[in-house]
Amino acid sequence: MADPAPGIRYACLLDTETTSLEPPPVGKTIEIAVMLFDVKHAQPVASFASLIRSDSNEAHAVNGIPPEMLLGLQDPELVWRAVRWVIGHAQVVIAHHAAFDKQFVPDLDKPWICSENDIKWPGRARGGSLAHLALSLGLGVASAHRAATDVDTLARILTRLAEMGHPLEPILLHAMRPKVRCISLAPFEQKDIVKAAGFRWEQDKKIWWRDMPLEDTNELPFKVRVQA
């Protein structure tokens, strides 16, 4: 399936469910879903999803995964081996909260695209929630907060874009432009505007930050500084 031409032929769509919003070692991955997606034809090629063994799930109320389902599952390394097999032919990994999901998977040796913040969706600057994005394109959303469901939703969104006449590869290449870490200089009372622009709050440093192409900072409604 390797494509000799430069660019993006295959993307890996990825989502995780975790026991906590805190990164490891506090939070643990309890579900992973990946899909190899043909960018040229805007169709899925292969997919894999699995729960991952754990002795607890503090986020049961959010993701709906009973803790007892996670007991006694097979060796987690077998799960990650299958994940790497699906991802193997992809040129890029796409996740809707890439900065979050990236913390909960082994190094995949691929560049990442955040479908919420990096992709400039036709008709809007950012994607917003995955469900909201799907609904805005006329796609139904049956459920959420399970990894395989969210990966399928993202795949249907990309397929719909192609059906609407938007070639996917230029959109993804635009999203992969080099990025710098930008720190918001907006006053505290503008925090809702900063958050809406895709910036994340880092409690320890008391800063709002976002990784983004330098040229895109000119479109922000507030000033930023680039972290050295």
Side-chain angles (χ1 to χ4, degrees):
M1 284 187 290
D3 186 60
I8 305 173
R9 175 59 191 276
Y10 298 104
C12 172
L13 314 185
L14 180 149
D15 189 49
T16 62
E17 296 299 335
T18 66
T19 61
S20 170
L21 294 178
E22 294 295 321
V26 176
K28 295 187 295 183
T29 312
I30 55 172
E31 185 176 37
I32 179 72
V34 288
M35 175 187 290
L36 187 65
F37 189 86
D38 188 318
V39 172
K40 179 179 179 180
H41 296 100
Q43 293 290 336
V45 176
S47 61
F48 172 78
S50 178
L51 294 175
I52 297 175
R53 188 170 63 207
S54 175
D55 57 7
S56 64
N57 178 19
E58 292 80 1
H60 177 208
V62 176
N63 53 48
I65 301 173
E68 55 269 24
M69 286 183 64
L70 304 172
L71 300 173
L73 294 178
Q74 62 185 356
D75 183 354
E77 182 51 38
L78 295 177
V79 175
W80 295 118
R81 192 180 303 170
V83 168
R84 293 185 184 97
W85 179 83
V86 173
I87 291 177
H89 294 284
Q91 285 80 48
V92 65
V93 177
I94 306 176
H96 202 63
H97 300 286
F100 176 82
D101 290 302
K102 193 174 183 180
Q103 302 173 102
F104 288 92
V105 301
D107 183 11
L108 301 175
D109 194 30
K110 308 279 184 182
W112 286 65
I113 289 175
C114 178
S115 54
E116 181 181 24
N117 292 318
D118 295 340
I119 294 178
K120 188 170 184 179
W121 298 97
R124 59 174 67 204
R126 296 175 57 247
S129 74
L130 197 61
H132 186 268
L133 181 58
L135 291 171
S136 73
L137 294 169
L139 297 171
V141 180
S143 60
H145 297 304
R146 286 297 301 265
T149 302
D150 287 351
V151 163
D152 179 69
T153 299
L154 181 54
R156 291 190 297 121
I157 287 170
L158 293 174
T159 299
R160 175 57 61 88
L161 278 187
E163 292 171 346
M164 295 169 64
H166 300 288
L168 297 180
E169 186 181 30
I171 292 174
L172 299 183
L173 288 173
H174 186 268
M176 289 180 67
R177 291 172 298 157
K179 299 173 179 63
V180 295
R181 178 148 299 186
C182 298
I183 311 300
S184 168
L185 299 178
F188 178 78
E189 55 268 22
Q190 293 184 13
K191 62 182 176 63
D192 291 339
I193 296 174
V194 175
K195 183 177 180 180
F199 281 68
R200 301 181 65 195
W201 176 250
E202 186 169 340
Q203 179 64 31
D204 292 344
K205 297 182 179 179
K206 301 292 192 293
I207 58 171
W208 288 92
W209 65 270
R210 177 182 166 187
D211 293 335
M212 61 188 301
L214 184 60
E215 59 267 29
D216 287 0
T217 61
N218 296 324
E219 302 174 9
L220 294 171
F222 50 87
K223 299 288 187 181
V224 299
R225 65 175 175 86
V226 175
Q227 181 173 292

